[in-house]
Amino acid sequence: MKAMRVVDLHCHTTASDGTYTPTELVKAARSIGLAAVAITDHDTVSGHEEALRAGVDEKIEVVPGIEFSTSSGGTVHILGYYVDHNSEKLVNATNWIIHERDDRNEKICALMQADGLDISYPEMKARYGDVIGRPHFAVMLVRLGIAADVQDAFRRYMNKGERYFIRRRFLPLIQTITVIRQAGGVPVLAHPFQYQRDDEGLRALIRECMDLGLLGMECCYSGYTPEQQEYLEALADEHGLIKTGGSDFHGTNKKHIRLGTGINGTLSVPYEMLEKLKETHAQLERWV
Ligand code: AMP
Ligand code: FE
Ligand code: FE
Ligand code: ZN
C-alpha cells in the first residue's frame, strides 16, 4: 500500500513569529516526509523567496502564503495562498500593518522600560526583523528571567487584559480579502473554531466573507477532533468553498504543535486539498 501523501498548509517562520527560518522549515518538512509545505507568516511575504529557493534545493513543493489578522466584530484570521509577493497593493498593505505594529510595540516597550526592564525596540527589530509580535516580547520576558517560558509569559503578561497587552489596529476584513485577490491569491478562512461562534454565527461569518471574495476554509487544524473536522468539511462543501488544512506550526514559540502532525500526532492533511487549492488558483483572475 502506498502511504498517503500529506502536506502542511499553515506554518510560521522567523519572518514573523516562528522560530524556524524559512530554510529550516522547508528542510524540516522534507525530513518528516511531507509532500508540500506552505509558508504563511503573519502580515509578511518576506520569507517567500528564501522558502521557494529552499524548496527547489530540497526538492519539496513550497506554497507561498500569508496570514492576516482582521477585524470584523471580533478578530478573524484570513490566509492568502499564492499571493504574488511583488504585488504593489499587497506590499502597501503589509507596510501599513508593520507600521501599526511598530506603534503598538513602542508602547509595550515603554511600559516595560517604566518597570525597569532592559528592553530596546531597535534591538528587537535588529534581532527579530520587521514583523514583531507579542511572541517576541514573550521570548524577551523569558530571556530577562521574568517568565518561565513563552506560555507563562503570555498568561501573566501578554494576553489580553494583562499588564503588557496593548491593542493594535487591524486591516478590515474587506480590505484583507480584496488585497489577497488583487495579489492573485486564494483567500481562506483560518481556524474557524477560534472565533467563539456557534453554528449560526459561523455561517453568518462565512456568508460575510464569501460576499467579499472568500474561496476556502481551513478544515483540518491542530487540536480539531475528527467530528469538528467533518463538520467543517460539510460546511465548506455546502458553501462551495475549497478545504485546506495546516498545523499553525510556530517552532518553539508554540511547543505543543508539531509540523505536519499538529498536537499529539492527530493532524493529517491530504495532498488532494492542495491539488484543489492549486486548481482554484490556476482558474483565478486577479482583481484590479
Ligand atoms: P500580535 O499579533 O503581535 O498581537 O500577537 C499575536 C500572536 O501571538 C498570534 O499570532 C499567536 O501566534 C501568538 N500567540 C498568542 N497566544 C500565544 C501563546 N499563548 N503562546 C504563543 N504564542 C501565542
Ligand atoms: Fe503567530
Ligand atoms: Fe491565526
Ligand atoms: Zn497562524
Side-chain angles (χ1 to χ4, degrees):
M1 195 183 83
K2 197 161 169 287
M4 189 171 87
R5 301 212 311 147
V6 295
V7 302
D8 191 333
L9 300 178
H10 190 157
C11 303
H12 298 265
T13 75
T14 50
S16 64
D17 60 352
T19 59
Y20 284 37
T21 66
T23 302
E24 286 166 352
L25 173 72
V26 170
K27 284 187 171 170
R30 158 93 222 226
S31 77
I32 61 169
L34 293 182
V37 64
I39 175 173
T40 56
D41 277 303
H42 299 288
D43 309 324
T44 187
V45 289
S46 70
H48 281 194
E49 285 183 4
E50 183 186 323
L52 291 168
R53 213 177 316 120
V56 173
D57 292 345
E58 298 293 320
K59 299 184 175 55
I60 170 175
E61 185 171 353
V62 171
V63 178
I66 190 165
E67 180 178 21
F68 287 107
S69 309
T70 80
S71 54
S72 172
T75 307
V76 173
H77 290 189
I78 303 288
L79 295 154
Y81 290 106
Y82 297 105
V83 286
D84 169 9
H85 58 255
N86 293 315
S87 156
E88 197 184 322
K89 288 183 167 124
L90 182 77
V91 171
N92 286 344
T94 55
N95 282 344
W96 180 85
I97 297 168
I98 288 167
H99 180 80
E100 286 296 320
R101 281 184 174 279
D102 285 341
D103 273 3
R104 190 268 318 248
N105 293 345
E106 300 265 14
K107 289 178 193 150
I108 295 177
C109 273
L111 283 179
M112 291 182 169
Q113 284 161 357
D115 283 344
L117 299 184
D118 181 17
I119 199 156
S120 138
Y121 197 52
E123 275 176 27
M124 285 182 73
K125 292 278 281 198
R127 174 176 295 159
Y128 298 121
D130 265 351
V131 179
I132 307 271
R134 283 181 285 148
H136 300 105
F137 286 99
V139 169
M140 293 300 295
L141 292 174
V142 176
R143 293 168 69 101
L144 291 168
I146 307 294
D149 56 31
V150 171
Q151 294 310 313
D152 182 46
F154 263 93
R155 193 173 52 79
R156 285 163 57 215
Y157 298 102
M158 302 313 304
N159 277 341
K160 191 170 176 181
E162 300 307 330
R163 189 169 182 82
Y164 299 130
F165 175 84
I166 295 182
R167 189 179 298 283
R168 67 182 173 87
R169 287 207 290 168
F170 296 137
L171 211 60
L173 185 63
I174 180 170
Q175 273 176 298
T176 303
I177 294 176
T178 301
V179 81
I180 291 171
R181 296 292 298 263
Q182 287 170 333
V186 180
V188 171
L189 178 63
H191 41 60
F193 289 127
Q194 202 162 296
Y195 314 124
Q196 274 87 46
R197 289 174 184 251
D198 58 10
D199 178 70
E200 196 186 331
L202 187 52
R203 284 169 183 275
L205 176 63
I206 290 170
R207 277 194 300 274
E208 179 187 4
C209 292
M210 286 186 74
D211 285 343
L212 301 173
L214 188 81
L215 296 169
M217 184 160 78
E218 192 171 54
C219 298
C220 317
Y221 186 74
S222 288
Y224 287 7
T225 63
E227 292 73 28
Q228 286 180 311
Q229 190 174 310
E230 264 173 49
Y231 164 77
L232 290 175
E233 291 198 21
L235 210 49
D237 289 342
E238 185 187 321
H239 288 85
L241 291 168
I242 62 159
K243 296 165 274 193
T244 70
S247 65
D248 213 351
F249 180 70
H250 280 69
T252 57
N253 279 348
K254 288 189 181 173
K255 275 204 200 94
H256 56 298
I257 296 175
R258 292 283 173 82
L259 181 62
T261 55
I263 297 169
N264 299 328
T266 51
L267 185 75
S268 172
V269 183
Y271 190 86
E272 286 68 43
M273 286 190 171
L274 175 55
E275 203 82 82
K276 280 272 188 295
L277 172 59
K278 286 197 284 189
E279 278 170 26
T280 300
H281 174 245
Q283 291 161 5
L284 212 56
E285 269 196 56
R286 200 185 274 227
W287 289 1
V288 288

